[in-house]
Amino acid sequence: MDGTTLETMRTALRGPVIGPDDPGYEQARSVYNAMIDRRPSAVVRCHDTADVMAAVDFVREHGLEFAVRGGGHSGPGLGVADGAVTIDLSPMDGVRVDPATQTAQADAGATLGELDHATHAFGLATPAGIMSTTGVGGLTLGGGHGYLTRKYGLTVDNLVSADVVLADGSFVAANPSENADLFWALRGGGGNFGIVTSFDFELHPVDTVGVGITVWPLELLQDVMRWYRDFLPQAPDDLYGFFASLSVPPAPPFPEKIHGRKMCGVVWSSTADPAALEQTLAVVDEPGPPAFHFTAPMPYPALQAMFDALLPAGLQWYWRGDFFDGITDDAVDVHAAFAASRPTDLSTMHLYPVDGAAGRVGPDDTAWAYRDAVWSGVIAGIDPDPANAPALRDWAVSYWEALHPHSMGGAYVNFLGADEGRVRVRATYGGHLDRLAKVKQAYDPHNLFHANQNIEPAPPH
């Protein structure tokens, strides 16, 4: 972008337009995953919906490439692209709660921490993620799962309306009665159809939750995983627990004697009586004695923020994901082998439950294509040192290649890497791809929004 175009853009927008020669450029282009090092031609920091509309009009009319950035957690860094304009929504971070209707409206740049802070004041919450630093926008458009999913469904199951800026710069509402086809596609189809500037969510009574952490020695992983695969799906929807392979962090609540040790574990939460969680988890010694077990009542926002300090912005990340409708004995063996060979202490594998309430939504009710999945898995190579980036990628890819034959074929779209190709994107959108392509043709026929896990428009009739 030449200097004249940059100055013209600045006059068209209320928010700042940051170019490569501006003092704040390095910070403006940086994203959560430090493995992503891209140089956009400008970063447009939108203050409001009017800025978003003006930015979309400007990039379209000038034939510019662009990417859209919300809260900024995107693993593949889809919010920035070399030589493209980044439309940065992070200044738009307001949340408004209506306790009478038990709904909240979150602006596109809000984080889960900001959403949780606002709703918790009223003893309410909606299902969304496991870290407070995650952006509401990207998480929601991919489907969204988290601690409340078994009880209250996916994030998109609790989305009641969205405000959207379309490719022609117009502004529309999407909900069951307005632009219903667009509303369907937004719930799992990613950022393919426009820029959502605000999300309206249904809220549920959630205040203090029961929280538990159980870790076992790594040599028990196969026994623990076989026990976990049988125990959790038959448990009441109030109970949630994600399985992890990990190195024990050198911090409370873990005792010093196990700091840094390779282990496997489950992070539990319960929306039932917090005091009853310890009794519910009295069975955790069945696969073998835990090295550590802890339960406590906790405000829901504190649970959401529990891992923020362990995984701050600026680490190297490489991840791969898949959905699973079961965990075979052969898959257990794969997990055991790669848990033992994790390249760094922060590298991990998580299995997130997506059954319960999420599994009882109709398979065609939203664009989320895997309502019969029981787990959404992610393999993440993580470390602060850029020199370890190749090792992180090699481990994650090798692990994924060994595990993928035991999967359902597709992944949570937010766990797809940018380098996985069209076959993986098609597998992830599954049987909904043709319908999504038709919605794309209706709302973005020229594929203006393509810096994403892209759905190409269906050919016009």
Side-chain angles (χ1 to χ4, degrees):
M1 185 190 301
D2 61 41
T4 301
T5 306
L6 190 63
E7 288 305 316
T8 304
M9 180 180 279
R10 286 185 170 127
T11 64
L13 296 159
R14 178 181 172 213
V17 177
I18 303 167
D21 297 328
D22 293 328
Y25 177 76
E26 290 301 319
Q27 181 178 358
R29 75 180 183 91
S30 66
V31 294
Y32 182 79
N33 181 0
M35 199 178 287
I36 309 301
D37 183 19
R38 300 184 189 135
R39 301 188 67 84
S41 60
V43 177
V44 178
R45 301 197 50 135
C46 296
H47 275 191
D48 51 28
T49 297
D51 265 356
V52 177
M53 295 168 70
V56 169
D57 283 339
F58 191 94
V59 298
R60 185 189 64 252
E61 291 166 3
H62 286 77
L64 302 173
E65 291 288 310
F66 74 99
V68 182
R69 180 178 180 186
H73 248 220
S74 172
L78 297 176
V80 288
D82 287 326
V85 175
T86 287
I87 298 179
D88 185 356
L89 310 176
S90 60
M92 300 168 58
D93 59 0
V95 179
R96 292 159 294 284
V97 178
D98 184 341
T101 61
Q102 295 198 345
T103 59
Q105 184 176 79
D107 291 338
T111 63
L112 300 189
E114 288 158 343
L115 175 62
D116 293 334
H117 173 78
T119 60
H120 186 68
F122 301 95
L124 300 167
T126 201
I130 64 157
M131 290 186 66
S132 75
T133 54
T134 304
V136 168
L139 177 127
T140 301
L141 294 173
H145 55 69
Y147 289 115
L148 302 178
T149 287
R150 297 192 77 238
K151 180 67 173 179
Y152 296 120
L154 302 174
T155 308
V156 291
D157 299 334
N158 295 273
L159 183 67
V160 295
S161 188
D163 290 339
V164 191
V165 175
L166 301 178
D168 62 2
S170 64
F171 174 83
V172 300
N175 52 57
S177 59
E178 301 173 273
N179 299 293
D181 54 345
L182 175 61
F183 183 60
W184 175 86
L186 292 174
R187 289 175 292 159
N192 273 284
F193 310 98
I195 300 178
V196 178
T197 58
S198 68
F199 301 82
D200 288 4
F201 296 108
E202 180 183 1
L203 304 177
H204 305 275
V206 178
D207 192 344
T208 299
V209 294
V211 176
I213 301 175
T214 312
V215 295
W216 292 263
L218 193 62
E219 56 267 25
L220 291 179
L221 184 145
Q222 287 153 299
D223 292 334
V224 173
M225 187 172 279
R226 285 191 288 263
W227 168 80
Y228 167 82
R229 75 181 178 191
D230 296 332
F231 169 72
L232 189 64
Q234 56 79 40
D237 292 350
D238 284 304
L239 184 66
Y240 177 94
F242 75 80
F243 186 97
S245 57
L246 71 156
S247 294
V248 176
F254 300 105
E256 188 173 350
K257 65 181 181 180
I258 64 171
H259 286 179
R261 287 181 55 187
K262 289 185 175 182
M263 295 205 173
C264 64
V266 180
V267 177
W268 309 97
S269 67
S270 175
T271 51
D273 178 5
L277 181 59
E278 183 60 39
Q279 183 177 352
T280 301
L281 297 181
V283 295
V284 296
D285 60 349
E286 289 183 2
F292 174 76
H293 176 66
F294 159 89
T295 61
M298 191 176 292
Y300 179 69
L303 168 63
Q304 285 279 74
M306 193 160 59
F307 299 112
D308 291 357
L310 181 66
L311 299 169
L315 299 175
Q316 305 282 311
W317 283 76
Y318 186 89
W319 62 24
R320 289 282 181 98
D322 264 323
F323 286 120
F324 301 90
D325 56 7
I327 303 172
T328 66
D329 286 343
D330 288 343
V332 170
D333 293 341
V334 172
H335 285 299
F338 282 91
S341 65
R342 288 183 306 104
T344 62
D345 284 347
L346 289 175
S347 296
T348 188
M349 184 284 304
H350 290 177
L351 288 170
Y352 300 109
V354 289
D355 61 335
R360 291 191 288 273
V361 174
D364 298 324
D365 288 357
T366 68
W368 176 276
Y370 285 85
R371 289 293 178 176
D372 50 349
V374 182
W375 286 280
S376 170
V378 65
I379 299 158
I382 313 169
D383 196 63
D385 188 353
N388 286 328
L392 302 179
R393 187 187 186 284
D394 289 348
W395 174 78
V397 171
S398 296
Y399 193 162
W400 179 85
E401 288 175 343
L403 192 62
H404 183 64
H406 307 284
S407 77
M408 300 175 74
Y412 178 37
V413 67
N414 291 339
F415 290 158
L416 284 184
D419 59 349
E420 293 192 57
R422 296 295 306 159
V423 171
R424 283 286 283 159
V425 173
R426 286 193 292 269
T428 288
Y429 295 127
H432 292 152
L433 183 60
D434 288 346
R435 183 176 172 185
L436 285 164
K438 291 176 182 176
V439 179
K440 179 75 167 180
Q441 171 62 33
Y443 290 92
D444 183 19
H446 303 295
N447 204 9
L448 193 72
F449 298 103
H450 60 261
N452 47 40
Q453 305 296 358
N454 193 235
I455 297 165
E456 295 180 354
H461 294 300

